[in-house]
Amino acid sequence: PPVPQGLLRLARRSGQLNLAGRGLTHVPEHVWRINVDPPEAAQQDLSFRAADRWWEQTDLTKLILASNKLQSLSEDVQLLPALTVLDVNTNILAAPLKPLSVYPFFFCVPHFHPSHNKLQSLPEELLQLPRLRSLLVQHNELSQLPEGLGQLLSLEELDVSHNQLTAIPPSLALLQNVVRLSLACNQLRELPADLSAMKSLRQLDCTKNSLETVPPKLATMASLEQLYLRKNKLRSLPEFPSCKLLKELHAGENQIEMLNAENLKQLSSLCVLELRDNKIKAVPEEISVLQRLERLDLANNDISRLPYTLGNLPQLKFLALEGNPLRTIRRDLLQKGTQELLKYLRSKIQDDGPGPSEEPPVTAMTLPSQSKVNLHAITTLKLLEYSDKQAAEIPGAVFDAVGSNPVATVNFSKNQLRELPPRLVELKDSVCDVNLGFNKISSLPSQLGLLQKLTHLDLRNNVLTALPEEMEALKRLHTINLAFNRFKVFPSVLYHLPALETILLSNNQVGSIDPVRLKGMDKLGTLDLQNNDLLQVPPELGNCENLRSLLLEGNPFRTPRAAVLAKGTAAVLEYLRSRIP
């Protein structure tokens, strides 16, 4: 399709031309010649008072050809000698520097973005571009990087994420000016220790690889400010004795079991610590040394109690604890938010009562099924627990033990349940927190809607594909965890639950969301849609200004880009609003 003349006139004034998403199989010749040929209008109006003073045009410096169907670049690209940014992402380029006659032009281009193409290797010619400062080749088919990549000494930004890399060449250590390096979503099992020589590096993203350890030498990267290690196979948190500037550490979805107190003492500048979806059993008292910490995410671990010293973190604004088997803190206190919880923890530091490390007294009754029901938990904590038994059903004796005692919390997680225990509805007058996570439940009965006092519902790690419409009766429900199920559509009944504050729907197959109906959920503050099948994020989602935490990483959409997502929820919402037509 032809390029509108109005767009070309604007490009002559601004020096920027955006032709993204126009279905171009080739770039029209008059685009390449925009700074060479006079515009058509010049033949009709030769007045020196004309509004369109084409003879005062600005040389084109930025050309965006993203999201088209280009297979190659024309030799005419050399007619744009002032070009500094050439964005050809999301095309079907297999060799961007072919024909070789275009190579001398690229010799002076500092920003080259051939991401979302079909590159299987980086051309050798690319390695001889001395002025190249930004090279974005994410979402291609690269299986290896050339050893000569270290020759690009002016490079400041390198993104090779979403490829098929199994190793990183040690020559990357020569890139002393690189500030941002993304190795995310590849097949890396280890990182070369030589990366520690990248003295200017401030952001390193190694998300979604197969890393089991991090080289100790990486701890010497004194300029590092942001480190992403999510979705790997780490069993412990790396040590960072020299990373005095490290502000953000993201290590969620690994296999970390313990937090080393000595490691925490080295992270004095840390503002964000994200450790959700690990196997952490305890938080050390030394967590209080992180005096600059603003965000701490410990959701979905195995933490049963919190150190009271956590209350001494003066800057902490967000603390995520959902999905942990906490026993020493009342559920209603957790519902009041971060500041109330911290206030409570501070008050307990001077308390003479039992500390968080002491076990509460246990009185158990052995039932005929050889299971143990903690009567003390039922009568004192209002807790009915039958978890981690690998049971196909909950024995009737477990419910019999409740008697006339009101039960507020039910934990039947980590079993082999294939359906909702039918007798659960017997607790409808008192139960407000139900955990059925880590089972094999494929569907839920309409009777779930009878639990009208329910405020927390944990159904993660099952095989659910839908929710019953009768759940609309759960008007008090404000937290629901549906992560790691098989939802292909956003459950429509959730739009009808006005009290919902937190929806955790990560690691499903959801393909779309309704931003208008989400905006109607006035109390929704946390929406986790990571690792789904969202092909696009509707700009109208930016109008959901009540969202404090919007998590979208790991979806196949192209915008917003990872750099925008990394800036946090407020920046993402602002970006989306700016895209509303």
Side-chain angles (χ1 to χ4, degrees):
V3 178
Q5 288 298 317
L7 203 59
L8 294 175
R9 282 197 299 272
L10 185 62
R12 288 189 175 93
R13 297 193 195 106
S14 67
Q16 301 183 12
L17 178 59
N18 188 343
L19 298 178
R22 292 182 171 270
L24 300 176
T25 56
H26 68 281
V27 180
E29 183 180 4
H30 59 275
V31 171
W32 297 128
R33 302 182 63 84
I34 188 172
N35 294 145
V36 178
D37 297 338
E40 294 180 8
Q43 301 176 9
Q44 285 81 36
D45 190 351
L46 300 178
S47 169
F48 280 88
R49 292 176 296 178
D52 186 13
R53 303 170 71 88
W54 57 266
W55 55 86
E56 295 180 355
Q57 67 180 3
T58 301
D59 286 345
L60 201 65
T61 59
K62 184 176 183 178
L63 177 58
I64 300 177
L65 299 170
S67 302
N68 283 291
K69 300 176 182 178
L70 304 177
Q71 298 184 38
S72 62
L73 293 175
S74 165
E75 298 180 23
D76 289 339
V77 70
Q78 299 174 86
L79 297 174
L80 301 173
L83 208 60
T84 60
V85 176
L86 178 60
D87 189 343
V88 292
N89 87 75
T90 320
N91 281 279
I92 49 178
L93 296 172
L97 295 185
K98 307 295 183 183
L100 287 178
S101 56
V102 308
Y103 164 63
F105 160 78
F106 283 94
F107 200 74
C108 295
V109 173
H111 301 277
F112 185 39
H113 303 166
S115 62
H116 292 83
N117 280 285
K118 296 184 178 297
L119 303 181
Q120 296 183 349
S121 63
L122 293 181
E124 290 295 324
E125 296 83 9
L126 191 68
L127 306 179
Q128 301 172 35
L129 305 182
R131 291 185 55 191
L132 197 63
R133 297 204 306 269
S134 175
L135 177 59
L136 308 184
V137 290
Q138 69 269 31
H139 289 278
N140 277 284
E141 300 172 4
L142 303 175
S143 58
Q144 62 180 8
L145 297 176
E147 184 64 36
L149 199 60
Q151 300 173 26
L152 300 176
L153 299 180
S154 297
L155 208 59
E156 297 174 1
E157 180 182 30
L158 175 61
D159 191 338
V160 294
S161 63
H162 294 273
N163 280 284
Q164 301 161 22
L165 303 175
T166 57
I168 299 298
S171 65
L172 248 64
L174 301 175
L175 303 178
Q176 296 289 301
N177 293 313
V178 168
V179 174
R180 174 181 172 267
L181 172 62
S182 179
L183 306 172
C185 301
N186 280 286
Q187 301 165 24
L188 304 175
R189 294 185 176 275
E190 60 180 6
L191 297 175
D194 295 338
L195 288 183
S196 60
M198 302 176 72
K199 300 303 182 183
S200 300
L201 195 64
R202 294 204 296 265
Q203 184 187 95
L204 175 60
D205 190 349
C206 299
T207 300
K208 204 173 183 180
N209 279 281
S210 298
L211 302 175
E212 295 183 3
T213 59
V214 175
K217 284 188 67 175
L218 255 60
T220 64
M221 303 179 76
S223 297
L224 198 61
E225 295 180 3
Q226 295 176 311
L227 178 59
Y228 295 84
L229 296 169
R230 303 183 73 250
K231 297 184 182 179
N232 280 283
K233 298 180 180 180
L234 301 176
R235 294 187 177 276
S236 61
L237 205 59
E239 297 183 17
F240 301 100
S242 300
C243 297
K244 303 300 184 183
L245 299 179
L246 191 64
K247 293 180 174 63
E248 295 189 22
L249 175 57
H250 301 261
E253 295 188 58
N254 279 281
Q255 300 169 24
I256 299 172
E257 297 181 356
M258 184 179 70
L259 293 181
N260 187 300
E262 292 301 317
N263 290 7
L264 294 178
K265 293 177 182 179
Q266 301 162 359
L267 301 173
S268 57
S269 297
L270 208 62
C271 297
V272 177
L273 179 57
E274 189 262 301
L275 295 168
R276 65 184 299 127
D277 295 286
N278 276 286
K279 300 177 180 179
I280 299 169
K281 293 180 171 56
V283 180
E285 300 277 344
E286 289 79 3
I287 191 77
S288 60
V289 303
L290 305 180
Q291 290 290 292
R292 298 185 183 180
L293 199 63
E294 298 178 7
R295 182 182 179 93
L296 176 60
D297 192 341
L298 296 169
N300 303 329
N301 278 281
D302 295 326
I303 301 167
S304 59
R305 47 187 50 83
L306 296 175
Y308 296 148
T309 54
L310 195 60
N312 287 334
L313 295 177
Q315 305 297 326
L316 195 61
K317 299 179 179 65
F318 177 85
L319 174 60
L321 294 168
E322 65 269 12
N324 282 286
L326 292 170
R327 306 190 192 286
T328 57
I329 298 178
R330 300 189 316 275
R331 176 62 66 181
D332 65 318
L333 183 59
L334 292 174
Q335 295 171 7
K336 292 181 179 179
T338 298
Q339 296 309 313
E340 286 297 316
L341 177 56
L342 297 180
K343 181 179 178 180
Y344 166 80
L345 293 173
R346 285 194 296 272
S347 72
K348 298 296 287 184
I349 293 176
Q350 303 299 327
D351 199 327
D352 294 331
S357 61
E358 297 180 20
E359 291 288 342
V362 174
T363 304
M365 179 185 71
T366 304
L367 300 172
S369 64
Q370 298 303 308
S371 64
K372 289 186 177 181
V373 175
N374 189 335
L375 288 180
H376 171 81
I378 293 175
T379 58
T380 306
L381 303 178
K382 300 181 181 180
L383 166 67
L384 178 61
E385 180 165 13
Y386 193 82
S387 64
D388 207 6
K389 307 289 187 185
Q390 301 304 309
E393 61 181 23
I394 305 299
V398 172
F399 290 98
D400 293 341
V402 174
S404 60
N405 293 292
V407 169
T409 302
V410 172
N411 185 359
F412 292 159
S413 64
K414 298 181 181 178
N415 283 296
Q416 300 289 320
L417 304 180
R418 295 184 180 274
E419 62 179 5
L420 193 78
R423 292 186 63 182
L424 188 62
V425 296
E426 296 176 8
L427 310 176
K428 62 184 176 62
D429 292 333
S430 59
V431 69
C432 59
D433 186 336
V434 172
N435 186 349
L436 292 165
F438 297 92
N439 280 287
K440 297 182 178 180
I441 300 172
S442 58
S443 64
L444 296 170
S446 59
Q447 287 82 354
L448 183 61
L450 298 175
L451 306 181
Q452 295 187 13
K453 293 190 176 181
L454 209 58
T455 60
H456 287 74
L457 181 58
D458 192 339
L459 293 165
R460 60 184 155 143
N461 290 80
N462 279 283
V463 287
L464 294 169
T465 58
L467 298 179
E469 292 301 318
E470 289 77 6
M471 282 182 61
E472 187 175 348
L474 305 181
K475 300 300 184 183
R476 299 185 184 184
L477 188 67
H478 66 67
T479 297
I480 187 166
N481 192 342
L482 300 171
F484 292 93
N485 275 281
R486 298 180 181 177
F487 290 94
K488 292 187 177 180
V489 296
F490 190 94
S492 60
V493 70
L494 298 184
Y495 294 123
H496 300 289
L497 299 177
L500 267 181
E501 298 176 7
T502 299
I503 298 176
L504 306 177
L505 200 55
S506 65
N507 296 280
N508 280 279
Q509 302 163 36
V510 175
S512 64
I513 51 178
D514 187 336
V516 176
R517 300 178 77 181
L518 282 172
K519 187 178 186 301
M521 303 176 71
D522 295 335
K523 296 187 177 181
L524 188 63
T526 298
L527 179 59
D528 187 349
L529 292 168
Q530 296 177 101
N531 304 317
N532 277 281
D533 293 337
L534 295 175
L535 292 174
Q536 61 179 4
V537 181
E540 293 79 9
L541 186 61
N543 290 328
C544 299
E545 297 185 19
N546 290 328
L547 284 176
R548 299 185 304 275
S549 177
L550 175 62
L551 303 173
L552 297 170
E553 291 85 355
N555 281 281
F557 58 74
R558 292 167 182 163
T559 56
R561 294 193 178 183
V564 176
L565 297 179
K567 293 179 180 179
T569 299
V572 172
L573 295 178
E574 182 180 356
Y575 169 83
L576 291 173
R577 286 194 295 273
S578 73
R579 306 274 291 187
I580 297 176

